Amino acid sequence: MISTLLVANRGEIACRIFRTCREQGIRTVAVHSDADADALHARVADTAVRLPGAAPAETYLRGDLIVKAALAAGADAVHPGYGFLSENPDFARAVRDAGLTWIGPSPEAIEAMASKTRAKELMGIASLAESDVTEARLPVLVKAAAGGGGRGMRIVRRMEDLSAALEGARAEATSAFGDGEVFVEPYLEHGRHVEVQILADTHGTVWPLGTRDCSLQRRHQKVVEEAPAPGISEGLAEELRTLAVRAARSVSYVGAGTVEFLVADGRAHFLEMNTRLQVEHPVTEAVFGIDLVAEQLRVAEGHALEKEPPRARGHAIEARLYAEDPARDWAPQTGTLHRLAVPAGVRLDTGYTDGDTIGVHYDPMIAKVVAHAPTRAQALRRLAGALERAELHGPVTNRDLLVRSLRHEEFTTARMDTGFYTRHLTALTAPAPDPYAPLAAALADAHGRSRFGGWRNLPAQPQVKRYEVAGQEHEVRYRCTRDGLAADGVRVVHADAHTVVLEVDGVRRRFEVFAYGDEIHVNTTRLTALPRFPDPAAQLAPGSLVAPMPGTVVRIAEGLEEGVPVAAGQPLIWLEAMKMQHRITAPAAGTLTALPVCAGQQVQPGTLLAVVEELSS
């Protein structure tokens, strides 16, 4: 019987595993980097062990340090979570060799399936060699052999881009997983990403726990997942389950795992087997009424599964909340998460609480929100409504994108595929702030500012405030009168520091206002208060390229120096932030007139990276 469990992970998944452990009466041990010293997962565990450093390569990817931490804390079992070392056979062996229980499949099974190239060979599928790629075979996908989460992946549509895609994918895979092996496979433009959750014990029983659809993806990383996969015929679903069980049995699999497919033209194309728990496992838990982590622990203790899995009931949908700006190439965001609250009736899995900091070192996912209902339509409505009413105060998030995605006709009718955001991102990210949010912010700010009340002997001059909303400046005007605050075109029913009620054309609307310095949240609209008189020194020269996020300059284009010509769209600088690489490109054809940064340099948002002087027409 497991008595003390160390989770070799961080954030949301560590907190989720700890929750099951508490219910089971199992003591918990967290590991944390220096950057995570005050993180929620380190706070909620019974014991926490420091891993010196901040980068994954020196902390969460150091299996030797994690095994030492488990032994030092008196743990008798290790759960890897997902990502990091969860699919590393050497780590699994090290855990077992230390006399600890490994919560997962055997190192041999991980070894057989952890490399996507070897997994394809096991399933009788050949990958393309780099030399096999021709113009006729485009587009292709360059993909990391180890790991997942969309890292180390590049779509290649032109032969001249292949070398750069291979180089970039190798660099990103090495940074994220410690393994730079990549391979090439055909890229199916309009396929659906469908997977099967499996659970197997040591007694020969393998459960295929239904299908999941994970087609809504950005940068090859899933954003919305649901179970069961809608619009899949029972015949195809049975084929997927059969293939998943076959894959599991081929490596004598034990524990929880997922077999992933791309479904196109009614056919299933094997992608990979993930030998770990998936991020999206809660939708399967909701539909089958089970706790997959608890089942993982029972299997590791040698207990047998029932011969048949539980019956599926209803439909579940999960949305991943990220601190990122989808309208700016999914740029990750950092800062203080002042408030995180979702309405009752949905499941919230998160590694953050109010006041926590979203840093630069790790994935920018804030939380997963899951809705379960008797039908897909009901689950969709419940999840979209909960996200719309959620209180998210802090960095920019993808919340609005999620709500619009869940309500998009292509998604509600289950006609989506992995190209959904390629087709619809511009429309889904079009700014649509509440037009009365700036006025509500100004009135809340003005409440109580006058020491002598609102009465004046002469008509009051309008007060003016400026706000930035979704990249656009808004100016609002209001007046202090003997009857209180007033604004043209609306009736101010009530205004205090946190609540403003406006009546427009006979309809009353209530606004909840929360200010954190210059950052203001009015219902679901995020605003930034602007100074009355802009600082002239803050103006940048035309063509200036600034860091969109905090990160590290990992690469500068070869031969790039001041005075050289650059082409429009040419990659100039590569930034690494939150385990992903981001290209900074030339905004127009011109001459590079400034390059004040160098490789290895840490930068903050707004740091000047380069200046391109545009060619005169």
Side-chain angles (χ1 to χ4, degrees), residues 331-343:
Q333 308 291 297
T334 61
T336 302
L337 182 65
H338 302 289
R339 175 76 171 149
L340 170 63
V342 299

Side-chain angles (χ1 to χ4, degrees), residues 303-379:
H303 296 286
L305 297 171
E306 298 292 333
K307 290 303 178 185
E308 296 295 330
R311 288 182 57 195
R313 296 181 184 277
H315 201 96
I317 306 177
E318 171 183 291
R320 302 189 194 185
L321 272 172
Y322 285 100
E324 65 183 11
D325 189 347
R328 293 173 53 222
D329 195 28
W330 311 97
Q333 308 291 297
T334 61
T336 302
L337 182 65
H338 302 289
R339 175 76 171 149
L340 170 63
V342 299
V346 295
R347 170 175 167 174
L348 178 70
D349 282 15
T350 183
Y352 293 96
T353 56
D354 296 357
D356 286 349
T357 299
I358 300 171
V360 301
H361 299 286
Y362 312 111
D363 188 275
M365 187 172 74
I366 298 172
K368 303 180 308 194
V369 186
V370 187
H372 180 233
T375 68
R376 182 175 189 263
Q378 290 171 316

Side-chain angles (χ1 to χ4, degrees), residues 207-239:
W207 282 357
L209 291 169
T211 58
R212 293 191 292 248
D213 187 289
C214 311
S215 296
L216 263 61
Q217 302 178 5
R218 54 87 163 121
R219 290 185 168 178
H220 313 293
Q221 191 172 43
K222 301 160 188 173
V223 177
V224 177
E225 303 105 337
E226 59 182 308
I232 298 291
S233 70
E234 180 51 37
L236 180 55
E238 179 60 28
E239 179 187 354

